[in-house]
Amino acid sequence: MNKYRIWALILLVVMVVLGWVVYTKSSYKLGLDLAGGTELVYKANTADVPKEDLDDRLNSLRTLIEKRINPFGVGEQLVQLEGANAFNNEPKLVVELPGVTNTEEAINIIGKTPRLDFRLLTAEGEAALTAGTTTKTIGELFTDTGLTGQYLETAQLTFDQFGGPTVSLVFNDEGSTLFAKITRENLGRVLAIFLDDQIISQPVIQSEIANGEAQITGGFSNAEAKALVDNLKNGALPIPIEHVGTQTIGPSLGASALNAGIRAGIWGFAIIALFLILWYRLPGFVATVALVMYVILSLLAFKFIPVTLTAAGIAGFILSIGMAVDANVLIFERMKEELRKGKNLHDAMHEGFHRAWLSIRDSNVSSLITSVVLFWLGTSSVKGFALTLGLGVLISMFTAITVSRTFLFALSTKNPGKVSGFLFGSGLRARNLTTPNSK
């Protein structure tokens, strides 16, 4: 018993420390419905895409869209693919832009054709780059050469001598003439390559290039280089997309939803704790302490995984609080049955945990299977619900079995009296723990 009391003390200390961490590190990653912003949904038309190329093109599509929404300066933007399944034959692309409410601008930028152009670094720009500091914008440090992607004849994925992916460009006759003139007249200068107003390469002109061929070495991954080639060749996205849905949530509405979710969680926890303590007394109090540990561990998991909390995710968390109590209720009822059979308190607790374990295990495994299926096939909001629910089930198995068991055995006594009978009783009557077969 002393062993349980030592472990109970350790658990209490750990709970206080973790609770302090949760309290002081209370910022969480919030989803669009709580932070406010815009969600755009696009349907990908994959009818003409070969099946063997589908995954690569969808990943290229996502990479390209992520680059296009960078100008919004949104740090928490999310671009995710929802693949085809038994209930949805067409993949969808979901773009979440927290804090962005200009829907029309967002749609225009995502759907536009990428612009490729070449610009010369000015003398002032060279001095600024050498000094390492400037108050000028990128546009003010470079001059336009007039050479753009409209003169492009073809683009191709190639590899350099070190095996790194590069993009080779071949200009048409008009573009070749212009490119030759630029390289001839600006030897030794930086000719930067811009894509959608972002520098992707800054080569120095070493000699005149008269054949109209150029190479972009931007430190790409294979997928990024292929996506760039697809866009430069096709002048469009690797897969045609159709805008099918928009959802805009104001910051005040998101804050209101967040506060409502927090209030629901607090009230739900308080009502459950009150019921447990009134009905199961000391075991109910122990279950409430285990529930506090469960909440702390869940919030830590949300913080450090990290989990993007949405309204659906909070609903999943609140639901899992109730499920965390199920295991305790099952254990306490098994204990009551063993006490009715005449076993002493210590043996009844051992047998109660042992008999309840199989039911708890099967119930939680069923919930985990449901969570996995929802996360696999669900939309983004359903995935948030499934993730918090699944995490809640796993954590509740630890708190309900390990934490509750440790505290209960630490508080039990070998010589129970009337006080113990009352504390370990339930319902409206005290239980006689010293009399066999007591009802």
Side-chain angles (χ1 to χ4, degrees), residues 29 53 55 78 128 131 133 137 164 181 215 232-233 237 252 273 294 336 339 341 345 374-375 386 406 416:
K29 187 176 180 181
D53 294 339
D55 289 342
L78 176 65
T133 177
T137 64
K181 180 175 183 296
Q215 195 174 57
L232 294 176
K233 287 171 63 177
L237 298 170
S252 58
Y294 163 78
K336 286 169 58 179
L339 289 171
K341 292 178 181 176
L345 179 60
L374 287 174
F375 190 85
T406 302

Side-chain angles (χ1 to χ4, degrees), residues 172-192:
N172 58 20
D173 291 342
E174 188 178 357
S176 296
T177 302
L178 182 56
F179 193 43
K181 180 175 183 296
I182 294 170
T183 54
R184 182 175 60 252
E185 296 177 353
N186 298 282
L187 290 175
R189 295 183 61 183
V190 172
L191 181 63

